[in-house]
Amino acid sequence: ARPLPLVLNTWPFRNATETAWKMLMCGGSALDAVETGCAVCEREQCDGTVGFGGSPDEFGETTLDAMIMDGTTMNVGAVGDLRRIKNAIGVARKVLEHTTHTLLAGESATKFAESMGFVNEDLSTDTSRALHADWLARNCQPNYWRNVIPDASKYCGPYKPPSILKQDGSAYGETGAHYGHD
Amino acid sequence: TIGMIAIHKTGHTAAGTSTNGIKFKIHGRIGDSPIPGAGAYADDTAGAAAATGDGDILMRFLPSYQAVEYMRGGESPTTACQKVISRIQKYFPKFFGAVICANVTGSYGAACNKLPEFTQFRFMVYNSLMEQPVEEKVDCI
């Protein structure tokens, strides 16, 4: 038997796999399967790295990134730094279906999402607020700044470039294996 | 981050990602996930791939585009994924990352960069030979 159709996804996010498969089984397209499968993880906040209430930025805000690609038309919809909209891949699908653009970002992507009927709502939760408060209490460690003053490996910002930039080592700070990852 | 590939029984492919990025990122930072060819890539004539991990590094190497091009050249999904991980390893041996790959016949594979705390990568697969979604894992290279 040919093994198609097929659903494959990173990490053991079983519900996402199941939902995508069911979409294929009831006549949905491959795009529909990817959109509905990933949306499950946005709702379920899969391991805290998908959806609202995770990975607060330095200001404590959760922002979302998502994309969807159609391998038949090579059409793509994507959102980066999406603020205050929960269903990021749903917005990415709208970018694909309703614009000739590929990627919308930030506050403007939020405005686009609202024009498509998505709800503008806070993406923070007690969990993300606690994460952020704990980070502040630990002198904002770790962070993604380098070559700045005050010393980012010891203190919180705001940071400024030193008067004379001294080059340090790698262009990629070793933030630890499991630390910074998408 | 979730990266997903779907291949319809007609052979149509799609791929996508969704993530809330990395903790304590600088306000405005965007990672690899929404970048076509980095977070995910799909092409009915070759296959599809998706990536997860250190987005600030991954996006510089366009891993999912590269994996699809390896499959277009005849590599198996597993080899395509492994070659992409190896390319990045040469420059950033300690990067955290994994890639899933599938070709248009429905074969699939995955690969990851071995770190002391990350020696296996777990992913989900569901195809017509299975009764339910199956969790698989690969040893990192």
Side-chain angles (χ1 to χ4, degrees):
Chain A
R2 279 172 54 88
L4 291 181
L6 168 74
V7 172
L8 194 64
N9 65 261
T10 57
W11 309 114
F13 301 149
R14 174 182 296 268
N15 294 343
T17 324
E18 190 117 54
T19 301
W21 179 261
K22 284 178 182 162
M23 178 54 75
L24 289 175
M25 289 299 107
C26 58
S29 66
L31 271 182
D32 297 332
V34 168
E35 181 187 356
T36 53
C38 290
V40 165
C41 265
E42 292 174 344
R43 284 195 302 276
E44 297 183 354
Q45 304 166 289
C46 289
D47 90 356
T49 68
V50 188
F52 69 102
S55 306
D57 66 14
E58 288 189 327
F59 296 174
E61 182 177 3
T62 291
T63 60
L64 306 177
D65 296 341
M67 70 159 277
I68 190 163
M69 181 165 189
D70 180 335
T72 307
T73 61
M74 301 308 274
N75 203 346
V76 175
V79 286
D81 188 30
L82 179 67
R83 309 177 68 186
R84 304 179 58 77
I85 305 285
K86 281 188 175 176
N87 181 207
I89 195 154
V91 181
R93 181 76 186 268
K94 296 296 186 190
V95 174
L96 186 154
E97 306 276 14
H98 301 292
T99 81
T100 57
H101 291 324
T102 296
L103 170 61
L104 300 181
E107 195 62 47
S108 306
T110 303
K111 297 254 183 311
F112 169 82
E114 287 180 283
S115 75
M116 289 285 139
F118 291 84
V119 174
N120 182 324
E121 56 191 317
D122 188 354
L123 301 188
S124 298
T125 61
D126 291 347
T127 303
S128 60
R129 282 187 281 268
L131 258 176
H132 185 242
D134 175 58
W135 178 73
L136 289 173
R138 284 186 283 114
N139 287 334
C140 308
Q141 302 302 315
N143 59 64
Y144 296 90
W145 294 84
R146 60 190 182 89
N147 283 346
V148 291
I149 48 175
D151 179 350
S153 69
K154 295 190 179 73
Y155 307 106
C156 291
Y159 304 106
K160 294 261 181 294
S163 51
I164 299 167
L165 260 186
K166 62 181 175 12
Q167 289 308 317
D168 82 347
S170 72
Y172 165 60
E174 300 295 341
T175 55
H178 269 291
Y179 188 72
H181 71 85
D182 291 80
Chain B
T1 302
I2 182 166
M4 180 176 278
I5 294 166
I7 306 183
H8 194 273
K9 59 179 181 282
T10 57
H12 290 309
T13 64
T17 61
S18 185
T19 184
N20 52 34
I22 52 172
K23 292 191 194 80
F24 318 124
K25 54 184 171 285
I26 295 170
H27 201 53
R29 177 268 189 186
I30 294 172
D32 66 305
S33 298
I35 311 298
Y41 195 76
D43 180 340
D44 286 8
T45 62
T52 179
D54 287 2
D56 294 313
I57 294 300
L58 285 170
M59 67 200 299
R60 305 177 196 174
F61 294 85
L62 297 180
S64 48
Y65 169 80
Q66 190 59 49
V68 170
E69 292 312 307
Y70 281 138
M71 288 189 280
R72 189 189 310 279
E75 297 288 8
S76 72
T78 296
T79 302
C81 275
Q82 289 177 338
K83 288 179 80 168
V84 158
I85 293 293
S86 301
R87 280 169 72 97
I88 303 173
Q89 248 172 14
K90 289 191 190 71
Y91 297 89
F92 298 101
K94 294 185 200 168
F95 89 99
F96 176 66
V99 185
I100 56 172
C101 300
N103 67 23
V104 292
T105 71
S107 300
Y108 61 88
C112 45
N113 183 38
K114 188 171 187 175
L115 296 172
E117 315 86 58
F118 184 56
T119 57
Q120 281 192 327
F121 172 60
R122 297 154 70 197
F123 60 97
M124 296 303 302
V125 56
Y126 202 161
N127 68 22
S128 58
L129 306 179
M130 302 166 180
E131 296 293 318
Q132 59 179 341
V134 173
E135 178 183 325
E136 297 196 10
K137 57 178 90 164
V138 289
D139 292 328
C140 296
I141 59 172

